């Protein structure tokens, strides 16, 4: 696992939901950086011939267990897991127009996929990564030798693996119609710290936050207008960049990273473009604006 500190080249990585969206962008970037990737998805076929593929539902224990077996056979084990698989649903808890409440079965499905499914992958991946031998264990059973070896070796080499979970901005600043989705993604965010403590003797556990790009065009335009730092939506490749950063930086542990360009509570502001006091990037370019469909 010392390779995690320098490069992702050669790392054995599983990406759930890797057949599309954020997962596909992450898998592609890791492959281009020299990692060995296994995509786990409910899709019927492998979207790329460069990565391994296992069709599985993350909520199914036997299916994910089979995926771990495939990782062990094809990759020789597992160094990292990136959980991108998930579902979204927008619905009001109570609809004033027709006097109806949302279906609890929909809520159960979101919790099952986003929360339980993510946890299912985490626990089975941790079990497989626990087999990895940290470099500092090379001193064998001699405690004094092991202690001396650990002191002489970068302590980061003791880690056995990395797990990256994908939550959502909605876990913290959910808008109307996102009660169910927000709750399911908040569960993923809340898992991070206690799971990192559970796995503390074995490795590191990190979680980036990212805005999902699955809204109607007019909503995308609204979000872009209210992104106060760069005035555009995040790109899947930027999510992939964050994943690579997490893999390379062992100090990122037990935290949730908000990959949201400092967006806070923008759903409740009027439609106006504020001038940021501090902005990392310049306002959107013409090309960025063309990428957003403004039709209703």
């Amino acid at each position: 696992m010392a390779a995690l500190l320098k490069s992702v080249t050669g790392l054995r990585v599983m990406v759930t939901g890797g057949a599309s969206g954020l997962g596909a962008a992450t898998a592609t970037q890791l492959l281009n950086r020299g990692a060995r990737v296994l995509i786990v998805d409910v899709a019927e076929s492998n979207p790329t011939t460069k990565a391994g593929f296992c069709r599985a539902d993350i909520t199914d224990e036997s299916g994910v267990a089979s995926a771990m077996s495939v990782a062990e056979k094809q990759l020789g084990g597992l160094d990292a897991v990136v959980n991108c698989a998930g579902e979204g649903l927008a619905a009001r808890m109570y609809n004033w127009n027709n006097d109806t409440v949302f279906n609890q079965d929909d809520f159960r499905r979101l919790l099952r996929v986003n929360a339980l499914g993510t946890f299912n992958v985490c626990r089975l991946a941790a079990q497989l990564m626990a087999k990895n031998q940290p470099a500092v264990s090379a001193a064998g059973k001699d405690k004094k030798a092991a202690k001396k070896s650990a002191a002489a070796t970068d302590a980061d080499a003791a880690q056995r693996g990395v797990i990256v979970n994908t939550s959502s901005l909605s876990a913290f600043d959910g808008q109307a119609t996102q009660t169910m989705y927000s709750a399911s993604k908040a569960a993923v965010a809340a898992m991070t710290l206690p799971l990192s403590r559970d796995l503390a003797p074995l490795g590191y556990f990190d979680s980036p936050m990212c805005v999902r790009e699955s809204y109607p065009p007019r909503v995308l335009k609204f979000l872009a207008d209210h992104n106060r730092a760069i005035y555009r939506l995040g790109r899947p490749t930027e999510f992939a960049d964050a994943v690579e950063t997490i893999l390379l930086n062992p100090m990122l542990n037990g935290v949730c990273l908000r990959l949201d360009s400092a967006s806070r509570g923008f759903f409740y502001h009027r439609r106006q473009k504020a001038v940021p006091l501090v902005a990392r990037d310049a306002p959107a370019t013409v090309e960025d604006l063309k990428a957003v469909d403004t039709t209703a």
Side-chain angles (χ1 to χ4, degrees), residues 218-230:
R218 61 188 179 85
V219 178
L220 291 175
K221 179 62 167 60
F222 176 80
L223 295 177
D225 286 346
H226 288 73
N227 194 332
R228 296 186 175 186
I230 57 175

Side-chain angles (χ1 to χ4, degrees), residues 254-288:
V255 297
C256 292
L257 303 183
R258 292 186 60 141
L259 196 65
D260 61 10
S261 186
S263 300
R264 298 292 186 276
F266 50 77
F267 298 113
Y268 305 104
H269 291 280
R270 292 187 176 183
R271 287 183 65 100
Q272 58 184 5
K273 189 174 290 186
V275 178
L277 296 178
V278 178
R280 178 172 176 174
D281 296 324
T285 63
V286 175
E287 287 72 20
D288 288 328

Side-chain angles (χ1 to χ4, degrees), residues 230-247:
I230 57 175
Y231 301 116
R232 65 168 173 79
L233 298 177
R235 302 186 179 107
T237 53
E238 292 169 329
F239 176 85
D241 288 338
V243 170
E244 184 174 1
T245 297
I246 290 171
L247 294 178

Side-chain angles (χ1 to χ4, degrees), residues 45-129:
S45 60
N46 190 352
T48 173
T49 57
K50 295 182 179 180
F53 180 77
C54 179
R55 187 171 186 272
D57 182 339
I58 61 172
T59 66
D60 179 52
E61 182 174 3
S62 61
V64 175
S66 295
M68 297 302 162
S69 296
V70 172
E72 197 163 18
K73 292 177 181 178
Q74 292 188 3
L75 306 181
L78 207 56
D79 298 313
V81 171
V82 183
N83 280 310
C84 291
E87 288 189 11
L89 177 66
R92 289 185 180 275
M93 181 183 68
Y94 172 71
N95 190 320
W96 292 86
N97 296 324
N98 55 21
D99 190 29
T100 58
V101 294
F102 64 54
N103 191 332
Q104 287 199 99
D105 288 339
D106 291 333
F107 196 4
R108 291 190 184 95
R109 178 170 57 82
L110 282 183
L111 289 173
R112 185 167 176 265
V113 174
N114 295 343
L116 180 59
T118 297
F119 180 76
N120 189 33
V121 175
C122 287
R123 68 192 184 94
L124 296 178
Q127 184 179 37
L128 178 56
M129 288 190 289

